[in-house]
Amino acid sequence: MKKILEFLRPGDFAWGSRELLVMRLGIAGLVFMGIHWGLTPFEPKHDNLNGFAKIVPLTWMLQPGVMVVLKILTTVGLGLFVIGIAPVITLVPPLFTFCGLGALRNSKGDGTHTTQVLAMALLAVWIAYIVGAIRKAGWKSPTLPQHRNAMIAALLMIAASYVSSGIIKLKATKGRWIHDVPNMAVQMIKSNLSDYYSKPQGEIPTAMTETAPKFITQNPNVARVVFGTGLLLELAAFTLMLGRRWAFLTGTALVLMHAGISLLMDIEFWNHMGLLCLLCIMPGCVDVFKKLSNSGMKTRLGTPH
Amino acid sequence: MSPLTLESRPAWQWWLASCLLVAPLLIAIGDHYPFSPFPMYSKFDSSADILYVTDQNDKPLALSSLFGVGSAQAKKRFERELLDVAKTRDYEKADAAAVTTASTRFLNGLWKDRKSKKTNALGVNTLRLHMITVSLSEDSAFQRQDSLLGEISVTPDPQPE
């Protein structure tokens, strides 16, 4: 028991420079893939403008020539960010392009929430580097603590997004979310049929549009326990901030939750899962690997026969 | 005195910061890109609509590969048109003329985004907008209703000689 409590004691993140490099590389990859490069020109009505697009006129970004320039600037900016050169400056093109095209896509009415967690995390990273620079710790070549703070800021944004999602579920249902879970069967049918009609091939698959929804309505309490666990996990996502061990445990649980939802609802969570793998699971795996190699070393050097 | 870095704060301050500041802030800001409180599945209605588009033979068209948009996103686009025309996102609450106008606008917009090589290969000359409504009745049985909301004739692109 004492060992468990000791293990669960909040600690620090203590990410090393190699871990931070992998995190930056991974985030840069997710950002590049997450940008809506295929968005076609359109004339949004002012009432329909969303978020960033409401503040700044952005439709010029959709011109083919401009898109090529943005792609080059974003690629160069992300490359320099990965190697740690002046992220206060080099993150501006990727952040502007990501938020600009994302806001335009939402303004077009195609809104999905798949990229928003990544956009918020990137924004948090940029702000953390700015805070570091303002504190005169230097902006051209950030120090290890500056890189670490930037990734902590990203994790903070991720944790907050889960908690806000959990709170909003309770708020929208006046605390009856878990009670209402059996109605999720309808959403499951909707989600799977939507996916089918996006790329129809053969017959409509019945496993997730008939069998599983029927199981949920016939076994409402099983559904409440399964999906209720997901809600509790969201509300407890602040534990991501309690150091690398908690981040590993909570991050793994959240990734498993996303994998389960993806299977049932046919929704993609690549950005959520990618970020959790980079910031929570990868450092945990490094710890396990180190522990194993240390114990292996001890065995090899071990006590004399 | 050493500078007080964010990381030097005790861990409990982090979850307090994330919960007490950022999470409610995200809820207060709402869904404005890049910010979001992630309201998906925050409440469950007992019915749901699914949009699909067919050709002149009522064969469902692959929205993703032909028009670069999934069914769920396409439905949001249609709802935006409907909101503009009828001041409601619910096609069942709008009058028939408004639904037809919104459908025509939506289908014309969709056709504009076509991957013409693929639509030409399929010989598409009509787009029909359908909506399926799935609902859960009191006795936990599913009901499905399919409605044709509108259609437009389209002209395939001229084939290169």
Side-chain angles (χ1 to χ4, degrees), chain A residues 81-152:
Chain A
F81 157 68
V82 171
I83 56 175
I85 295 176
V88 170
I89 307 293
T90 54
L91 272 181
V92 172
L95 192 59
F96 183 82
T97 309
F98 199 138
C99 293
L101 293 181
L104 282 173
R105 190 171 186 230
N106 274 21
S107 303
K108 198 173 182 180
D110 297 358
T112 65
H113 293 92
T114 53
T115 59
Q116 267 157 296
V117 70
L118 187 54
M120 291 197 300
L122 191 65
L123 183 63
V125 166
W126 184 59
I127 291 171
Y129 279 122
I130 290 176
V131 171
I134 289 170
R135 288 176 169 178
K136 295 184 181 172
W139 61 275
K140 285 180 193 163
S141 182
T143 57
L144 185 69
Q146 272 178 293
H147 285 307
R148 217 176 261 164
N149 286 343
M151 292 303 141
I152 290 175

Side-chain angles (χ1 to χ4, degrees), chain A residues 7-13 15 152 155-164 229-254 276 279-280, chain B residues 11-20 23:
Chain A
F7 181 81
L8 293 178
R9 204 170 62 178
D12 56 21
F13 290 100
W15 295 316
I152 290 175
L155 193 57
L156 170 66
M157 203 48 119
I158 296 163
S161 72
Y162 282 109
V163 176
S164 70
T229 308
L231 173 63
L232 295 179
L233 199 52
E234 280 188 332
L235 290 168
F238 61 82
T239 54
L240 286 172
M241 304 312 302
L242 300 182
R244 52 196 290 157
R245 282 176 183 171
W246 274 97
F248 178 64
L249 294 174
T250 310
T252 305
L254 286 165
L276 289 168
L279 300 178
C280 305
Chain B
W12 65 267
Q13 285 192 5
W14 276 111
W15 68 259
L16 261 188
S18 65
C19 271
L20 298 180

Side-chain angles (χ1 to χ4, degrees), chain A residues 156-205:
Chain A
L156 170 66
M157 203 48 119
I158 296 163
S161 72
Y162 282 109
V163 176
S164 70
S165 182
I167 293 172
I168 218 158
K169 285 184 175 74
L170 294 176
K171 198 178 156 207
T173 54
K174 297 189 172 79
R176 289 171 60 87
W177 194 86
I178 292 177
H179 178 269
D180 295 347
V181 152
N183 276 345
M184 188 182 257
V186 172
Q187 302 305 319
M188 189 186 281
I189 297 173
K190 176 191 167 181
S191 204
N192 283 287
L193 279 182
S194 290
D195 188 63
Y196 171 77
Y197 283 115
S198 297
K199 36 185 189 298
Q201 264 184 345
E203 295 295 307
I204 296 172

Side-chain angles (χ1 to χ4, degrees), chain B residues 11-152:
Chain B
W12 65 267
Q13 285 192 5
W14 276 111
W15 68 259
L16 261 188
S18 65
C19 271
L20 298 180
L21 293 171
V22 186
L25 201 64
L26 290 177
I27 294 171
I29 294 171
D31 226 337
H32 297 284
Y33 206 97
F35 301 104
S36 176
F38 299 91
M40 307 82 76
Y41 304 108
S42 57
K43 58 180 178 179
F44 306 114
D45 295 323
S46 55
S47 72
D49 299 328
I50 302 104
L51 176 149
Y52 69 101
V53 175
T54 61
D55 64 6
Q56 58 278 9
N57 302 314
D58 272 336
K59 189 180 170 214
L61 295 172
L63 290 166
S64 297
S65 60
L66 297 179
F67 305 107
V69 65
S71 162
Q73 286 76 44
K75 191 179 141 237
K76 285 180 190 167
R77 264 195 218 180
F78 168 69
E79 285 173 346
R80 191 150 279 194
E81 296 291 358
L82 192 62
L83 185 69
D84 199 38
V85 177
K87 307 294 169 218
T88 174
R89 287 178 191 273
D90 186 348
Y91 76 97
E92 286 177 327
K93 286 182 185 156
D95 62 59
V99 172
T100 306
T101 308
S103 301
T104 306
R105 276 199 201 175
F106 164 77
L107 290 171
N108 279 323
L110 199 66
W111 186 247
K112 231 188 239 176
D113 286 347
R114 70 190 178 280
K115 311 270 188 287
S116 50
K117 256 189 193 170
K118 291 180 181 174
T119 50
N120 281 352
L122 290 171
V124 178
N125 61 35
T126 303
L127 292 181
R128 291 185 180 141
L129 172 62
H130 298 257
M131 196 73 86
I132 300 170
T133 301
V134 178
S135 56
L136 191 60
S137 64
E138 293 268 313
D139 57 348
S140 296
F142 294 107
Q143 287 160 342
R144 179 183 160 146
Q145 185 198 322
D146 201 323
S147 316
L148 175 65
L149 301 189
E151 73 173 67
I152 59 165

